[in-house]
């Protein structure tokens, strides 16, 4: 079981379909405007983040094996409480401080700061029994271009 934050965006809609194909129970977190879309894509449950506190809405759902966070922000501070501890549960976010750090501090210092941040968060969350991961994706135009 997993929630997908930002479920109605490009990555979120692809993730819903992929997770459903793999047999997962998917909880989509998006606005009510997009609930029909994510339901059509296969989401089992929809949580409307505009209705109020997402944490309160998640209390009715069992703990998760994976959390995919496409939104970032303050979500990371509380969402890890909804992972099954000591079960190999994983938090994956696509929102990292890498670009912010390299823009602000330069390449070397920015990479160092990002490495320290990742290390701190990985150890902190591992002590709570959950895995913390960042993912980077870059499109490759050469795969889609033909001559």
């Amino acid at each position: 079981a997993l929630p997908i934050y930002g479920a109605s965006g490009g990555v979120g809609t692809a993730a819903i379909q992929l997770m459903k194909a793999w047999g997962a129970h998917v909880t989509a977190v998006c606005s009510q405007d997009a609930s029909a879309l994510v339901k059509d894509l296969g989401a089992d449950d929809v949580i409307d983040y505009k209705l109020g506190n997402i944490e309160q809405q998640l209390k009715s759902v069992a703990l998760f094996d994976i959390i995919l966070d496409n939104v970032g922000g303050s979500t990371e501070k509380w969402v890890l409480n909804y992972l099954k501890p000591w079960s190999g549960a994983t938090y994956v976010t696509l929102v990292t401080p890498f670009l912010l750090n390299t823009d602000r501090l330069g390449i070397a210092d920015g990479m160092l700061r990002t490495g320290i941040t990742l290390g701190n968060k990985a150890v902190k969350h591992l002590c709570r029994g959950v895995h913390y991961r960042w993912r980077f994706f870059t499109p490759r135009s050469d795969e889609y271009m033909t001559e």
Side-chain angles (χ1 to χ4, degrees):
L2 79 146
I4 299 174
Y5 292 85
S8 61
V11 173
T13 56
I16 291 170
Q17 295 172 78
L18 185 61
M19 293 296 106
K20 290 307 295 179
W22 287 343
H25 180 94
V26 174
T27 300
V29 180
C30 60
S31 68
Q32 182 64 33
D33 309 1
S35 63
L37 168 68
V38 296
K39 279 282 197 185
D40 288 346
L41 293 174
D44 299 293
D45 300 309
V46 178
I47 293 178
D48 182 357
Y49 70 89
K50 291 183 178 179
L51 283 181
N53 192 332
I54 297 174
E55 290 181 72
Q56 293 298 325
Q57 295 179 63
L58 283 174
K59 287 187 179 181
S60 65
V61 183
L63 294 178
F64 299 106
D65 301 302
I66 299 171
I67 292 175
L68 175 59
D69 181 5
N70 299 314
V71 177
S74 64
T75 306
E76 180 184 322
K77 294 177 182 165
W78 57 265
V79 78
L80 294 158
N81 297 324
Y82 293 94
L83 283 170
K84 294 178 185 173
W86 304 108
S87 67
T90 304
Y91 171 77
V92 178
T93 180
L94 303 180
V95 183
T96 70
F98 179 71
L99 292 176
L100 177 65
N101 286 340
T102 54
D103 284 347
R104 192 182 55 180
L105 302 171
I107 292 177
D109 290 343
M111 290 178 70
L112 178 62
R113 167 56 76 197
T114 300
I116 291 169
T117 301
L118 176 58
N120 286 340
K121 289 183 178 191
V123 169
K124 176 178 128 183
H125 298 305
L126 189 58
C127 291
R128 294 177 54 200
V130 298
H131 298 281
Y132 181 93
R133 302 284 184 267
W134 289 342
R135 294 292 182 253
F136 295 96
F137 297 93
T138 55
R140 291 189 47 198
S141 62
D142 60 331
E143 290 180 2
Y144 305 106
M145 301 195 53
T146 58
E147 293 185 31

